[in-house]
Amino acid sequence: MTERPARLPVRTRMTGTQRREQLIDVGRALFAEKGFEATSIEEIAVRAAVSKPAVYEHFGGKEGLYAVVVDREMHELLHRITSALSAGHPRIRLEQVAVALLTYVEDSTDGFRILVRDSPVATSSGTFSSLLNEAANQVEHIMAEEFTARGFDSLFANLYAQSLVGMVALTAQWWLDERQPAKEEVAAHLVNLCWNGLSNLDPAPRLLRPHGR
């Protein structure tokens, strides 16, 4: 008997919206794995099982796809951070912010890897540094409340907010690969350093050994 030729897999037809979402998922995975520069349109098309023109049709090129991926991640992370600052005692809100950021790293590892790289493409929601600046602006309200309650000059609230958010973000980048200890324990230690440092805050700090004199 003559063997029948093997059937080729039937390509599932997608709507335009479904195809766009598939390309975003494929691009997100490749950008996280290889970075923007090392990822090519050819790789995206091959992994998505589409032609290169299909990618250009939806996004105009690799830059357009990357911008969409970054914008989505930025909006998601900012939403988590601002939601965590909604209510509660100032210390609880700091805990919620730390846990929210670490949970994002845990749930959206690929997205966080993309965000912490220097973006070579302008996006509508800015860069990771601008996102952290926005988060610091939210935390500044907490700092201003505490400074006012303690009789300190609230002029420096933004400086302390930038420092706290920067510390949490840098620790999150370290934890991205370590994943130990558990996120709740990492958050507890971060808040321990932040809050207990604030509890004994010097209202007029000076360097013990001034430089440049």
Side-chain angles (χ1 to χ4, degrees):
M1 295 179 62
T2 305
E3 289 188 4
R4 293 182 179 178
R7 289 187 177 182
L8 294 175
V10 178
R11 180 180 295 180
T12 304
R13 293 187 61 84
M14 295 184 181
T15 65
T17 300
Q18 290 172 330
R19 181 65 71 193
R20 178 181 173 84
E21 290 301 316
Q22 180 214 21
L23 289 170
I24 291 172
D25 290 341
V26 168
R28 182 176 182 271
L30 281 169
F31 292 138
E33 176 187 338
K34 308 181 70 172
F36 174 80
E37 295 296 342
T39 299
S40 68
I41 285 289
E42 287 82 359
E43 287 177 291
I44 295 169
V46 168
R47 189 171 293 191
V50 299
S51 64
K52 287 170 56 178
V55 182
Y56 287 109
E57 179 184 348
H58 283 280
F59 303 100
K62 182 174 72 170
E63 293 80 4
L65 174 56
Y66 184 84
V68 171
V69 170
V70 172
D71 277 342
R72 285 194 175 191
E73 296 301 325
M74 294 272 282
H75 284 298
E76 172 63 19
L77 180 52
L78 185 59
H79 172 71
R80 292 190 186 217
I81 291 174
T82 53
S83 296
L85 288 166
S86 58
H89 185 275
R91 172 165 180 160
I92 298 299
R93 280 184 279 171
L94 289 178
E95 291 179 358
Q96 290 170 336
V97 168
V99 171
L101 181 51
L102 293 170
T103 300
Y104 171 77
V105 173
E106 185 176 63
D107 294 344
S108 304
T109 300
D110 282 354
F112 190 71
R113 288 189 190 281
I114 293 168
L115 289 182
V116 296
R117 291 192 176 104
D118 290 331
S119 174
V121 176
T123 66
S124 64
S125 52
T127 63
F128 186 57
S129 60
S130 66
L131 182 145
L132 294 182
N133 189 61
E134 176 63 28
N137 289 338
Q138 301 290 330
V139 174
E140 182 182 359
H141 298 298
I142 300 176
M143 303 306 301
E145 290 174 14
E146 286 301 303
F147 277 35
T148 300
R150 296 167 187 268
F152 295 167
D153 189 348
S154 60
L155 175 66
F156 297 103
N158 183 259
L159 186 156
Y160 280 86
Q162 293 283 349
S163 301
L164 293 178
V165 170
M167 180 177 68
V168 174
L170 189 59
T171 302
Q173 291 184 50
W174 163 80
W175 190 74
L176 175 65
D177 294 314
E178 294 292 326
R179 297 303 174 97
Q180 290 292 332
K183 67 181 177 185
E184 291 81 7
E185 190 173 354
V186 173
H189 282 283
L190 282 169
V191 175
N192 180 42
L193 177 58
C194 297
W195 193 258
N196 289 323
L198 291 171
S199 298
N200 297 291
L201 198 65
D202 187 337
R206 295 289 185 274
L207 295 176
L208 295 179
R209 187 176 178 181
H211 295 265
R213 293 185 179 179

